[in-house]
Amino acid sequence: MEKGILDIINDRASCRSFSDKEIPSDLLKQILEAAVKAPSGGGFQNYSIIKVTDREKKEQLVKYGRNQKFIARAPVSLVFCIDYRRMKRINEAEPAPFAETERFTNFWMSVVDTAVCAQTACLAAEALGLKSVYIGNILNVSDQVSELLKLPDYVLPSIMVTLGYPLRSPKRSQKYDAELLVHEEEYHDAEIDQLLSEYRKKYSDWHMKPNGKNTGTIYKTAAAYHGQDYAELCKKNILERNSVSPYQYWFGCYYLEEKGFMGFPEFQAFMEKKGFHWTK
């Protein structure tokens, strides 16, 4: 019995364990043809998809993606790019007013468009027996990814999806219920007890004991972000509960600035170099 779209959505899980089995070209074509049928702002489809199968390029993408080695093992990665070059070239051939690369709202909409296109590709892949995972870390090194993929002016990397056949069925992560995330007519804060209850339910299988390394790193990060007093508060909370929470680990130990990551000034310079002036 074939899965319906709701089954596909409910069953989808990020996969980080792929076989090196090649994806048949006709299947990959179906996935890409489905992806480009996704809705986009104005219907302009201001994106491009770079299909990466070359071994050396995939190894480079491993380095750019926090050394996640499954990127190289999987048969293909798709880099979804914001692309105003195509529109600009058409406008040069058939002159029309053009200030699209100067407006931040266009950039924002283009990020949305690439995400919708990427998710359409992921659901199509799932329907065809493949698995996928998003790799957002390429944003930290947009300049290096751009150079690797020879992205010209007016083209920026946005998000990457790695596709392939799973070595084992990935475990679905727990999600917040719609009741917490959907608001009636206007935004309403949940009571903090309810919010913490839902947060703990979402991470019910999370168990991390404090040790010198993780507690020390969280302390150091908290001090750098918010000062010594807040770092002490974080440490006290960890020791009293004898547990490192998911947020404490992810934001205090894992998702940190690393050497070579672009900061806002580097992003601004990179965008301007590419022909975009949204940040001015």
Side-chain angles (χ1 to χ4, degrees):
M1 182 178 176
E2 289 188 5
K3 286 184 178 181
I5 185 63
L6 293 180
D7 295 320
I8 291 169
I9 291 170
N10 288 330
D11 291 345
R12 191 200 166 271
S14 293
C15 180
R16 294 178 176 84
S17 180
F18 296 97
S19 76
D20 55 7
K21 178 183 175 183
E22 293 297 320
I23 302 172
S25 58
D26 61 323
L27 257 63
L28 192 52
K29 183 179 180 183
Q30 287 182 66
I31 292 166
L32 293 171
E33 287 182 346
V36 301
K37 290 181 176 66
S40 63
F44 293 126
Q45 295 178 284
N46 288 325
Y47 56 78
S48 282
I49 307 168
I50 311 297
K51 180 176 67 175
V52 181
T53 58
D54 177 78
R55 182 73 187 184
E56 289 186 10
K57 281 191 173 69
K58 289 195 293 182
E59 291 288 355
Q60 281 298 116
L61 290 173
V62 168
K63 295 178 183 177
Y64 298 154
R66 291 185 184 268
N67 204 36
Q68 297 180 92
K69 297 189 183 301
F70 62 80
I71 297 171
R73 183 175 179 83
V76 62
S77 282
L78 305 174
V79 181
F80 294 80
C81 302
I82 296 166
D83 185 350
Y84 278 83
R85 184 178 183 84
R86 183 168 52 246
M87 179 179 277
K88 192 169 181 65
R89 292 182 65 213
I90 292 170
N91 278 352
E92 288 171 353
E94 297 181 358
F98 187 80
E100 306 308 294
T101 55
E102 312 299 313
R103 297 172 180 154
F104 178 73
T105 50
N106 289 340
F107 169 66
W108 197 331
M109 181 58 69
S110 298
V111 172
V112 172
D113 288 348
T114 57
V116 173
C117 181
Q119 182 63 3
T120 303
C122 287
L123 293 178
E126 190 82 17
L128 294 170
L130 297 164
K131 294 293 181 181
S132 62
V133 63
Y134 281 96
I135 309 293
N137 303 125
I138 63 166
L139 289 177
N140 297 317
V141 286
S142 293
D143 51 354
Q144 296 178 66
V145 172
S146 184
E147 183 177 348
L148 176 69
L149 304 180
K150 294 183 168 36
L151 302 184
D153 290 349
Y154 308 106
V155 182
L156 303 170
S158 179
I159 193 73
M160 185 170 86
V161 170
T162 296
L163 289 175
Y165 290 98
L167 283 176
R168 61 190 69 88
S169 295
K171 182 181 178 182
R172 283 183 293 150
S173 60
Q174 183 67 32
K175 306 293 185 183
Y176 285 130
D177 292 335
E179 285 76 11
L180 183 68
L181 303 182
V182 179
H183 304 252
E184 294 290 340
E185 306 298 345
E186 59 187 38
Y187 192 96
H188 299 278
D189 271 324
E191 295 294 332
I192 189 61
D193 288 345
Q194 179 198 2
L195 190 56
L196 288 174
S197 175
E198 293 298 321
Y199 167 68
R200 287 164 184 153
K201 184 171 74 172
K202 176 179 170 69
Y203 293 103
S204 59
D205 60 349
W206 177 277
H207 305 286
M208 181 178 288
K209 292 294 183 183
N211 56 45
K213 183 177 181 181
N214 57 34
T215 305
T217 302
I218 292 166
Y219 187 96
K220 181 179 178 181
T221 305
Y225 289 174
H226 310 295
Q228 209 74 30
D229 289 345
Y230 193 81
E232 290 290 345
L233 186 65
C234 289
K235 181 179 178 180
K236 180 181 178 183
N237 179 268
I238 291 169
L239 295 179
E240 284 180 349
R241 292 185 302 105
N242 192 31
S243 176
V244 175
S245 75
Y247 282 5
Q248 287 167 343
Y249 172 73
W250 291 122
F251 303 136
C253 292
Y254 188 79
Y255 289 114
L256 306 179
E257 293 296 317
E258 296 181 11
K259 185 178 180 180
F261 279 12
M262 299 168 70
F264 181 74
E266 289 78 22
F267 272 114
Q268 185 174 21
F270 172 69
M271 285 188 177
E272 291 180 6
K273 178 183 175 182
K274 286 288 191 177
F276 297 101
H277 305 286
W278 294 313
T279 56
K280 287 188 175 180

